[in-house]
Amino acid sequence: MPIEIENAKDKGEEKAKLLAHLICKFYAGICSEHFSENKESCTKSLRRYDEVLSRQGNSLLYISAYHGQTNLIKTMIEIGAYVNFRTGELDSTTFGKGWTPLMIAAAEGHSETVAILIENGADVNASNEYDRTALMFAANYGYTNIVDKLLISGADVNTIPTDKTGWTALIAAAYNGHH
């Protein structure tokens, strides 16, 4: 029961949100119940959806990380999704340039998702177009459990972003009152 993405009427970010919702429902509903029987079909559908998103400068892994859909992330990694995919590489108007699934998971406070991505080779020192890292996002919002995971995994505490603040992770945490 594939979902036709090309026929969706929404554009840009709304289309991606709709797609993420549909895929999560699709995977949770159909694939999880019959995954052993229809593994090839589900895998093919997930890869196809990811290819469509990639052409738009995004990935299913990124959208799943944004929403904290850890089971879908595990499946995507299992079928070969690239954990260090950067958004906006092809179309910088889509979601902000250079964000990785790890960065968005850290910014949204999805600790389990962060752990799965790190375990599967996510680059803890990857930076976006402003040289901001997952550690900076987690520290800024006070997600100490994520900060701990990133530090244990070798995140660089001294990276200085090129955005207007120039704040390291420590400065951002201190400014916002996070221990």
Side-chain angles (χ1 to χ4, degrees):
M1 184 169 152
I3 301 165
E4 290 296 324
I5 304 166
E6 283 80 16
N7 293 336
K9 294 180 182 174
D10 293 321
K11 303 275 185 204
E13 190 170 345
E14 290 303 312
K15 186 175 178 181
K17 286 178 187 176
L18 172 66
L19 179 63
H21 176 75
L22 291 173
I23 289 171
C24 291
K25 292 292 185 187
F26 172 76
Y27 180 71
I30 297 170
C31 289
S32 62
E33 290 176 17
H34 307 290
F35 195 71
S36 58
E37 304 167 9
N38 297 326
K39 184 174 183 175
E40 186 177 323
S41 174
C42 290
T43 299
K44 183 178 177 182
S45 294
L46 290 172
R47 282 189 179 131
R48 172 77 174 109
Y49 299 143
D50 196 44
E51 287 172 13
V52 170
L53 285 171
S54 293
R55 287 194 301 264
Q56 297 172 358
N58 203 346
S59 76
L60 179 53
L61 198 65
Y62 179 87
I63 292 172
S64 301
Y66 176 79
H67 293 285
Q69 295 291 327
T70 307
N71 287 334
L72 184 54
I73 288 170
K74 288 177 185 176
T75 300
M76 291 304 298
I77 290 170
E78 193 178 295
I79 65 172
Y82 182 49
V83 296
N84 290 307
F85 179 90
R86 294 175 179 274
T87 60
E89 293 298 314
L90 302 175
D91 177 6
S92 62
T93 63
T94 307
F95 291 95
K97 200 169 184 181
W99 280 68
T100 65
L102 181 62
M103 284 181 216
I104 195 63
E108 293 298 320
H110 300 303
S111 183
E112 185 182 356
T113 300
V114 167
I116 294 298
L117 290 167
I118 291 171
E119 287 170 19
N120 286 280
D123 180 357
V124 296
N125 289 308
S127 58
N128 68 9
E129 68 181 316
Y130 299 110
D131 295 320
R132 293 182 54 88
T133 65
L135 180 62
M136 290 175 191
F137 295 117
N140 186 63
Y141 296 116
Y143 300 130
T144 54
N145 56 343
I146 294 174
V147 168
D148 290 343
K149 284 179 175 97
L150 292 165
L151 291 174
I152 289 168
S153 301
D156 183 358
V157 297
N158 295 313
T159 301
I160 300 172
T162 57
D163 64 5
K164 64 182 180 177
T165 68
W167 292 352
T168 63
L170 179 60
I171 293 169
Y175 179 82
N176 289 302
H178 304 304
H179 299 279

